[in-house]
Every structure is written in C-alpha cells, then in structure tokens.
Amino acid sequence: MSIDGVPEAQRSVADLLRDLAWNIHRRAPEITGIDPLPATELALLKHVLDAPGLTVTEVARLMGLKQSNASAAVRTLTERGLLTRSSSPTDRRVSHLVPTEEARAQNEAIAAAWSGPVRAALEQLDGKQKAALEAASESLGALNRLLQAKG
C-alpha cells in the first residue's frame, strides 16, 4: 500500500498509462492541411463523431462543461465546417449535432497518424508482450469508457 492508500500496482499502472498517453501524443506526426483544434473543441468533436445526434446539452454534460462553453465550441466547429445541426423531428427547439464528411475524413487521417507509431512500436515487442497487451485490450476499453463517462 502506498502513502495515499492507493495500492502501488494501481499507482504504477495509472502512471504508466499517463506516460504512454504523453509519448503517443508527442510523437504524433504533424498532419499538413488540418488546422489544429483547441482541446475542448477536439474532445467535443470526438464525442459527436462517436455518437452522432447528441445535443449541445448532452455533450456539455458528458464533458463536464457549462452549456455556454459547449455552445461556443459547437459554434466554432460549425463555422469550420466540421459539425452541422439537425433539428429534432419531435421538438424544433432541440438541435442534434452531426459530424460533416470533412470531420470524418480528418478524424480518419488523425487516427491513422496517431496509431501508426503505436502499431510500429507494437511490432517490436516480443510475442509474450503482444499477447499480454491484447489480453488487456478489453480492460483498457472498459477503463476508457469509464473515463469518458466522467466527462
């Protein structure tokens, strides 16, 4: 048990995942032709790409943002041609957020650029290490979903 009551193994895994995320982020190649997005807008766009049809209120809740901040990010993403608003068929006051084809294309390019170095590094691991990571995939996915749900 560590000083703060968190088991050492859990602390070690959390620290390792943080370091891994940082290394992936800093090694991601620059993608020409795609203007960078601020973190809030990027996260909001990712939520809409993952679940098209969310409302601004739903995205704000998922991300732990004030409604006005989420609305501002949506406005910017709409102006950049990455999101559109679709009126609800049941309530015209409600808009559903939909990613544009441009957003989908950029998302694919970014995903390929970020995952390429990771795939290359994975190829350098031995068979036992690869198998261990593949076995942990379900648990890592569950951890990711929990973190996403917390906004």
Side-chain angles (χ1 to χ4, degrees):
M1 197 61 76
S2 66
I3 296 170
D4 61 1
V6 176
E8 195 58 43
Q10 287 181 14
R11 176 184 293 284
S12 178
V13 168
D15 289 347
L16 181 59
L17 288 172
R18 181 203 60 219
D19 292 346
L20 180 63
W22 170 248
N23 282 315
I24 292 168
H25 179 75
R26 82 178 169 83
R27 291 188 183 275
E30 290 293 319
I31 302 170
T32 57
I34 299 177
D35 292 330
L37 290 171
T40 298
E41 292 171 14
L42 184 61
L44 191 145
L45 183 58
K46 180 77 173 113
H47 277 290
V48 176
L49 283 160
D50 290 346
L54 292 171
T55 65
V56 174
T57 301
E58 290 169 332
V59 171
R61 183 182 41 78
L62 284 168
M63 294 179 63
L65 293 175
K66 291 182 180 178
Q67 179 88 14
S68 60
N69 292 349
S71 293
V74 166
R75 187 171 35 260
T76 300
L77 290 168
T78 301
E79 289 168 359
R80 289 181 71 167
L82 299 172
L83 285 183
T84 61
R85 293 175 183 255
S86 170
S87 295
S88 169
T90 57
D91 186 347
R92 293 287 179 201
R93 297 171 296 174
V94 175
S95 301
H96 296 279
L97 304 174
V98 181
T100 64
E101 287 305 315
E102 178 65 19
R104 286 187 179 95
Q106 285 188 18
N107 185 54
E108 290 298 317
I110 291 167
W114 281 56
S115 64
V118 175
R119 285 193 309 269
L122 285 169
E123 286 302 315
Q124 296 177 35
L125 297 176
D126 66 36
K128 185 177 176 183
Q129 291 168 325
K130 286 181 195 176
L133 285 172
E134 289 168 5
S137 181
E138 184 178 326
S139 296
L140 290 170
L143 178 62
N144 187 48
R145 288 186 296 278
L146 284 170
L147 290 170
Q148 284 177 330
K150 298 215 183 292

